[in-house]
Amino acid sequence: MSTNAMIGFSQSGVKAVYSHWDGYPTEMGRNLNKFFPTLQDAKALVQGGDLSAICNKTGKITYYSEFPGQKILEQDYEVVQDARPFDEVAPFEYYDVDDFGGVKQTDSRGTPWNEKAYMDNIEYLYVHMKGEWHVSDNGIDWLPVEDQIAYEEKQKARRA
């Protein structure tokens, strides 16, 4: 089972892409912090369109499409076997972080923001803003990734 996420950056709005695998903060969040720490890194990652996964050992990205132009990242990348045309996986654009947060607050089946049926189960949203990666599991509250991880571990310990 996959943990779906959206990954974006905030600069004159938010530009974001879908990610299919390992979207939880201890995996995706830490990969973003480790391999894509700057705004320029976030822009390069998103420019490639929707992705399947980021390897937690190497930072290698698996995209759903061959993107136009030259190699945009220092990290290696590959394209999944069933590559789609780039216009089908191109980044979404949002007015601001609140608009981006709306992804978690609506039923994605048939709502105006979503024309991609495979994005029905977004669990986490990530946005590079204020110089670091932030994550939200509800589209309203945004925490730096490591703060979210600490919060989830505290909740897990309480339930144990």
Side-chain angles (χ1 to χ4, degrees), residues 52-66:
S52 178
I54 299 172
C55 177
N56 64 357
K57 292 181 180 165
T58 65
K60 185 174 187 172
I61 305 151
T62 306
Y63 284 106
Y64 279 112
S65 175
E66 192 72 58

Side-chain angles (χ1 to χ4, degrees):
M1 188 160 113
S2 62
T3 304
N4 307 148
M6 292 284 292
I7 303 166
F9 64 90
S10 177
Q11 186 179 51
S12 301
V14 173
K15 197 176 237 187
V17 293
Y18 167 82
S19 179
H20 190 69
W21 294 104
D22 302 328
Y24 42 92
T26 55
E27 190 79 16
M28 179 62 69
R30 286 190 169 147
N31 286 343
L32 292 171
N33 278 341
K34 181 177 180 180
F35 298 111
F36 307 95
T38 69
L39 177 60
Q40 283 65 37
D41 294 329
K43 286 180 182 180
L45 174 66
V46 169
Q47 179 180 316
D50 292 348
L51 52 117
S52 178
I54 299 172
C55 177
N56 64 357
K57 292 181 180 165
T58 65
K60 185 174 187 172
I61 305 151
T62 306
Y63 284 106
Y64 279 112
S65 175
E66 192 72 58
F67 40 88
Q70 73 281 5
K71 184 175 176 181
I72 56 171
L73 298 165
E74 292 296 320
Q75 283 83 359
D76 288 333
Y77 67 91
E78 64 182 324
V79 178
V80 294
Q81 293 276 342
D82 63 340
R84 301 177 181 116
F86 187 75
D87 62 345
E88 290 182 17
V89 298
F92 283 104
E93 294 189 26
Y94 300 89
Y95 181 71
D96 57 18
V97 174
D98 289 336
D99 186 31
F100 179 47
V103 169
K104 285 292 294 169
Q105 300 164 24
T106 57
D107 179 355
S108 63
R109 291 174 292 273
T111 56
W113 72 269
N114 181 12
E115 297 174 5
K116 298 178 182 179
Y118 60 90
M119 291 178 49
D120 286 341
N121 300 307
I122 303 298
E123 296 291 328
Y124 293 98
L125 302 174
Y126 294 90
V127 65
H128 194 283
M129 63 181 176
K130 301 177 185 175
E132 65 182 325
W133 285 102
H134 288 73
V135 61
S136 178
D137 61 359
N138 62 16
I140 299 168
D141 303 310
W142 296 90
L143 291 174
V145 168
E146 290 300 326
D147 292 352
Q148 178 72 24
I149 292 169
Y151 171 79
E152 289 180 3
E153 287 173 351
K154 219 181 260 188
Q155 295 301 318
K156 190 176 179 181
R158 285 183 187 171
R159 288 187 293 255

